[in-house]
Amino acid sequence: MSLRNRIRALSIVLCGALASTMLLAVDARAEEAGWTVRDRPGGPTAELRLDRASGALGLSVSRAGETVLAPSPVGIVTERADFSTGLSFLGRSDRTVDEHYRTAAGKDRNRTVHMREARFRFRTGAGARLDVVVRASADGVAYRYDLPGDTGNVLQETSAFTLPEGSSAWLGAYRKDNENLFDAYTAAGAPAGEYMMQALFRTGNSYALVAESDLTGSYSGARLVHDAGSSTYRVKLWDPQVRTTGALTTPWRAVVTGDLATVTESTFTDDLAPASKVRDTSWIKPGRALWTWLAGGREAGQSLEMQKGYVDYAAARHWPYTVVDAGWYFDPAQWDVTDPDWQTHSWIPELVRYGRERGVGIQVWIHHRDLDTAEERAQWLPTLEKWGVKGVKIDFMDSEAQETFQWYDRILPETASHHLLVNFHGSTIPKGIQRTWPHVMSLEGVNGEEKKTNTARHLTTLPFTRNVIGSMDFTPGAFHRPNRPNAGSDASELGLSVLYESGIQNLAGTPESYDARPEARHFLEQLPDAWDSTRLLAGEPGTSAVLGRRSGNRWFIGGMYAGAAHTAEVPLRIGSGRWLVETLTDGPAGPVRTARTVRGGDTLSVDVVSDGGFAAVACRWSPGRTSCDR
């Protein structure tokens, strides 16, 4: 090629590159006011907008032609920079997130993640940098802040969620242990106050569950604050300042959205969380447990003989665990822990031996104050592992402060290294923790069975709120408790064991109450220890909830209704073909089992009593088959 031709070719390349650069600059200027992120057609779309006059960011979410989230403030304020205003756009980069992971517990054990992620880069007039990372999937939208420089401690977020006019809301007032009732409001009509970060809203045919994910000790827990007459719910952090050093990545602010089935079946908050930090998960075994606190209280916790009786009962039912609650150990301050034989004060090793011989593992309750220092954990955790204890139920953290999440960051790898399953009570709610730390079988964070304030409306709201975001230790099965709102419906109490998912399903009844209800006892004996998939069959928050959960080739169904007695109609969305369905409904002397043959997709008619429900199991029909028992 001649020199002239080479120069001409180079000029063409340079002109093309310059034209491309100018086109990108024009596009950036044109898009400066607004950018969209969507994973797939028909899925939710996030729109991030920058107000040119104020330099403030806002985020909205739409789905199927409906506004799910109206333009809502996005921003964060630190000691050295205000990222809520005065921002200018620097650029955008995109990537696809494709992951597959398996969990020990949850709605389903095999998860596939596909999300579109966009990183938007901004700076303040003073040059401080902020990245806003937005993700969209088929069932949700989430964003987080990434501060690449050292901008000092976080003072507040200006993040908020603004609902369209006329939206419905199901909210629970905030408590430090997340144990409060859910009730129904309009988004604008809810009383002024603070609400738990597990709020459900509805606009048209779309639902939106506000939550968070990937919360660690680098940050502070959040709640929602609502002003009277407003449709905006602001994010408030527990701590007045979040301590930071250097760069910071905040938790995800998530909106799980879709129709009600999509939201209920979603694993979005887990999908956002980091991958498992536990390499060997072979020892992690979910399962049913006989929980003896409501059955015997502190007296049971202080009695080896009573606990052996519970082990015998669990063994006969093929339940893999019993849980020994408060009372089994004295205050360690009264023990001389410098004595190498201090552990001999406990009869737990004898109970573990007794349970091992019968195929029943022992889990024990322990107070947070006895594990809140490195020295205490070094005393207790190796000892419990040496004794052969399978898990710990840690109670009374009662805080969502940054300091408390730093404690979670320490206790989680330590319990995993000692092969101890964990159930947190008096705690935060999951927030993706079960993906990252799969030995966490459950968390309380719910106004559960031991409370005396529950309502049928609350029971029918939990599957659409708290239990969406992770395992929930409600402790169903307390037939002997006269103050439960469904006390007139043993069948609905039985159904709660399916309706509510928990990696450790703590069954809270007395052996006597189970023996008095042989059909209920038989159903609980058949109940699997983990689920392969979950489907919403029917329901509306605060009114009714019917879920089907599959284990292998059998479906278990739990239903709960608030209101008058009626005949419920349940679509059997469990697969085509013929099924044998055994339903358990309320009879004059306890649950009654009825078998019938139906086709998948048919409607199952079930008679339910006032504030009642039902339980069922479905298996493939074959000639001569009369039971779904294995």
Side-chain angles (χ1 to χ4, degrees):
M1 181 184 293
S2 67
L3 178 61
R4 177 179 295 179
N5 288 338
R6 288 180 181 178
I7 293 173
R8 180 179 297 170
L10 180 60
S11 299
I12 292 172
V13 170
L14 291 174
C15 288
L18 179 60
S20 297
T21 302
M22 292 177 65
L23 181 59
L24 287 173
V26 170
D27 285 349
R29 286 195 300 269
E31 293 185 26
E32 187 175 2
W35 311 267
T36 61
V37 184
R38 187 177 67 177
D39 177 54
R40 65 193 69 182
T45 299
E47 183 176 13
L48 185 68
R49 297 194 66 83
L50 178 66
D51 184 282
R52 291 173 176 166
S54 65
L57 288 169
L59 182 88
S60 60
V61 178
S62 61
R63 172 191 168 269
E66 294 180 333
T67 298
V68 175
L69 192 69
S72 303
V74 171
I76 188 169
V77 180
T78 72
E79 290 177 314
R80 300 173 195 156
D82 183 351
F83 297 106
S84 66
T85 187
L87 297 175
S88 59
F89 178 64
L90 299 178
R92 167 182 179 167
S93 58
D94 286 72
R95 73 183 184 105
T96 299
V97 179
D98 284 304
E99 298 171 338
H100 180 81
Y101 66 99
R102 182 175 172 84
T103 64
K107 301 169 195 176
D108 50 66
R109 285 181 279 189
N110 289 298
R111 315 278 181 86
T112 298
V113 179
H114 184 81
M115 300 183 188
R116 176 69 62 180
E117 178 184 286
R119 178 179 291 269
F120 300 95
R121 298 182 296 279
F122 302 93
R123 70 180 173 196
T124 66
R129 279 285 315 282
L130 167 71
D131 289 0
V132 178
V133 183
V134 181
R135 283 188 180 181
S137 75
D139 56 348
V141 165
Y143 69 91
R144 72 192 320 174
Y145 305 113
D146 199 340
L147 281 63
D150 184 358
T151 57
N153 293 342
V154 174
L155 302 181
Q156 65 171 329
E157 287 187 29
T158 55
S159 316
F161 303 91
T162 299
L163 284 307
E165 184 178 350
S167 297
S168 302
W170 292 268
L171 309 169
Y174 184 76
R175 267 179 56 141
K176 60 186 179 182
D177 56 7
N178 292 280
E179 297 175 28
N180 252 335
L181 295 174
F182 281 89
D183 218 332
Y185 307 95
T186 63
E194 298 182 349
Y195 293 94
M196 295 184 287
M197 194 74 166
Q198 41 179 318
L200 180 68
F201 302 94
R202 178 182 181 179
T203 300
N205 296 314
S206 296
Y207 290 79
L209 178 65
V210 172
E212 61 182 334
S213 182
D214 193 17
L215 175 58
T216 69
S218 66
Y219 212 66
S220 177
R223 68 194 77 166
L224 298 173
V225 178
H226 177 244
D227 298 320
S230 171
S231 291
T232 296
Y233 289 76
R234 295 178 283 111
V235 171
K236 177 182 177 181
L237 302 178
W238 177 289
D239 298 283
Q241 289 192 25
V242 177
R243 299 185 301 279
T244 65
T245 56
L248 172 68
T249 299
T250 70
W252 294 101
R253 302 285 168 240
V255 180
V256 186
T257 187
D259 59 22
L260 190 58
T262 299
V263 172
T264 308
E265 299 165 17
S266 171
T267 60
F268 187 57
T269 53
D270 279 346
D271 297 343
L272 290 166
S276 172
K277 295 184 179 181
V278 181
R279 288 189 177 183
D280 176 19
T281 59
S282 60
W283 57 276
I284 300 174
K285 307 289 186 184
R288 296 151 295 164
L290 179 58
W291 176 53
T292 56
W293 182 253
L294 296 187
R298 185 171 292 273
E299 178 186 0
Q302 294 173 337
S303 171
L304 174 60
E305 291 308 309
M306 288 184 70
Q307 291 296 332
K308 284 184 174 180
Y310 293 137
V311 167
D312 290 337
Y313 197 82
R317 315 275 82 77
H318 301 289
W319 296 340
Y321 300 107
T322 65
V323 178
V324 185
D325 216 283
W328 67 268
Y329 71 96
F330 297 105
D331 184 349
Q334 299 176 5
W335 298 1
D336 180 8
V337 294
T338 62
D339 178 354
D341 295 323
W342 68 273
Q343 298 96 333
T344 60
H345 287 278
S346 178
W347 42 258
I348 291 293
E350 166 60 18
L351 183 64
V352 169
R353 180 199 63 78
Y354 189 85
R356 185 184 299 118
E357 292 175 351
R358 291 155 179 80
V360 177
I362 307 301
Q363 302 187 33
V364 299
W365 178 94
I366 190 166
H367 201 293
H368 161 261
R369 68 180 173 229
D370 297 324
L371 294 171
D372 60 357
T373 68
E375 293 76 16
E376 289 167 339
R377 294 191 294 276
Q379 292 165 1
W380 274 114
L381 300 182
T383 297
L384 294 173
E385 181 184 29
K386 177 182 175 182
W387 287 350
V389 168
K390 297 297 184 182
V392 286
K393 175 182 173 182
I394 308 173
D395 207 346
F396 294 119
M397 283 69 71
D398 289 341
S399 167
E400 293 191 305
Q402 182 180 20
E403 181 181 20
T404 303
F405 282 101
Q406 291 170 346
W407 173 84
Y408 281 111
D409 291 345
R410 292 187 289 269
I411 195 76
L412 286 164
E414 291 175 352
T415 47
S417 68
H418 291 290
H419 293 166
L420 293 169
L421 304 177
V422 178
N423 177 3
F424 289 118
H425 269 232
S427 65
T428 186
I429 52 181
K431 304 180 190 291
I433 192 174
Q434 290 180 280
R435 179 183 181 185
T436 310
W437 299 103
H439 66 300
V440 177
M441 292 286 93
S442 195
L443 296 88
E444 189 179 26
V446 64
N447 205 80
E449 188 78 285
E450 62 182 316
K451 295 294 195 297
K452 299 180 180 179
T453 56
N454 277 329
T455 66
R457 290 192 306 276
H458 175 68
L459 299 187
T460 54
T461 304
L462 289 175
F464 309 111
T465 51
R466 166 63 181 84
N467 213 187
V468 169
I469 59 175
S471 292
M472 177 181 79
D473 196 19
F474 182 89
T475 70
F479 298 106
H480 63 294
R481 300 276 283 185
N483 50 12
R484 54 188 175 90
N486 57 340
S489 176
D490 288 344
S492 69
E493 187 66 31
L494 190 61
L496 297 184
S497 66
V498 177
L499 195 60
Y500 300 153
E501 185 278 324
S502 182
I504 294 295
Q505 188 66 287
N506 280 297
L507 302 171
T510 64
E512 295 78 11
S513 68
Y514 296 136
D515 290 342
R517 299 164 176 82
E519 291 292 356
R521 183 185 64 196
H522 179 72
F523 183 85
L524 296 174
E525 290 170 351
Q526 297 292 310
L527 202 66
D529 293 322
W531 304 111
D532 294 318
S533 61
T534 293
R535 290 182 185 172
L536 175 66
L537 302 182
E540 175 69 18
T543 301
S544 61
V546 185
L547 266 66
R549 301 190 192 270
R550 182 179 62 83
S551 174
N553 56 9
R554 293 190 299 173
W555 284 89
F556 289 77
I557 302 171
M560 175 70 202
Y561 298 82
H566 67 288
T567 299
E569 304 292 339
V570 179
L572 282 181
R573 196 166 61 94
I574 60 175
S576 60
R578 297 182 71 178
W579 295 85
L580 176 65
V581 179
E582 297 178 88
T583 57
L584 289 102
T585 55
D586 289 296
V592 176
R593 178 167 45 166
T594 304
R596 69 189 88 174
T597 302
V598 299
R599 289 191 175 275
D602 286 353
T603 298
L604 183 70
S605 297
V606 185
D607 291 332
V608 297
V609 302
S610 175
D611 288 340
F614 72 99
V617 58
C619 57
R620 286 293 180 182
W621 175 87
S622 60
R625 186 169 193 177
T626 60
S627 171
C628 287
D629 292 0
R630 289 216 180 272

